[in-house]
Amino acid sequence: MIILDYRDRRPIYEQVLEKLKELMLLDVLKENDPLPSVRSLAMDLSINPNTIQRAYAELERQGYIYTVKGRGSFVAENGKMKDNRKKELLIQVSEMIDEAIRLGISGEELKNMVEIQYEAAGKTGGGGQ
């Protein structure tokens, strides 16, 4: 489910946070699915439970999960999450296009690159279909 990269410069809790977000956005973890308990996930990953607790707290703060006292943490409604992530990505793409234009990359080159990347992602199951 989650594989940590100990060479990554990011703190472990951020890696856990990002992996869980990714699993939610890809519908591996669906709305109202229970998350593993802090203790069990910490044991599975061989890390301190406080690290998992910190990741879960941040996920809850960001609206990705909710907690039911005595029952655990669950995946929140993710339609809004996906919409927010799409908006973030479109902003990033827009910024990259602006930079490409400043560097002198033509519109035709950009279109070709997008088409090539889109087709490649479709063939490998990377989405976009």
Side-chain angles (χ1 to χ4, degrees):
M1 187 164 145
I2 295 175
I3 298 172
L4 300 173
D5 180 358
Y6 293 100
R7 293 174 288 160
D8 192 323
R9 297 185 109 143
R10 294 176 300 158
I12 298 296
Y13 90 92
E14 282 184 19
Q15 290 185 51
V16 171
L17 177 83
E18 290 304 315
K19 298 286 186 184
L20 287 170
K21 278 185 184 181
E22 185 178 319
L23 292 171
M24 290 176 216
L25 291 171
L26 294 173
D27 282 333
V28 174
L29 291 172
K30 297 179 183 341
E31 184 177 338
N32 296 317
D33 278 354
L35 293 177
S37 72
V38 168
R39 182 172 289 141
S40 70
L41 186 54
M43 285 176 50
D44 289 347
L45 298 175
S46 299
I47 59 177
N48 190 311
N50 291 333
T51 303
I52 302 299
Q53 185 59 49
R54 186 172 180 187
Y56 278 18
E58 184 59 22
L59 285 168
E60 187 163 17
R61 188 189 71 73
Q62 293 179 14
Y64 283 86
I65 66 172
Y66 64 93
T67 301
V68 177
K69 191 170 180 101
R71 299 215 40 233
S73 297
F74 300 84
V75 177
E77 189 276 314
N78 63 11
K80 291 178 192 171
M81 287 187 275
K82 286 182 180 181
D83 288 342
N84 288 339
R85 183 63 185 137
K86 285 179 186 178
K87 287 176 189 173
E88 290 172 9
L89 281 174
L90 289 173
I91 289 168
Q92 288 176 328
V93 168
S94 178
E95 290 169 353
M96 292 176 74
I97 290 170
D98 289 345
E99 184 176 355
I101 291 168
R102 285 192 301 273
L103 292 171
I105 298 173
S106 73
E108 194 61 36
E109 287 177 286
L110 286 171
K111 288 178 195 173
N112 289 338
M113 178 55 75
V114 169
E115 288 174 3
I116 290 167
Q117 192 62 38
Y118 195 81
E119 287 178 23
K123 289 178 184 172
T124 61
Q129 299 290 324

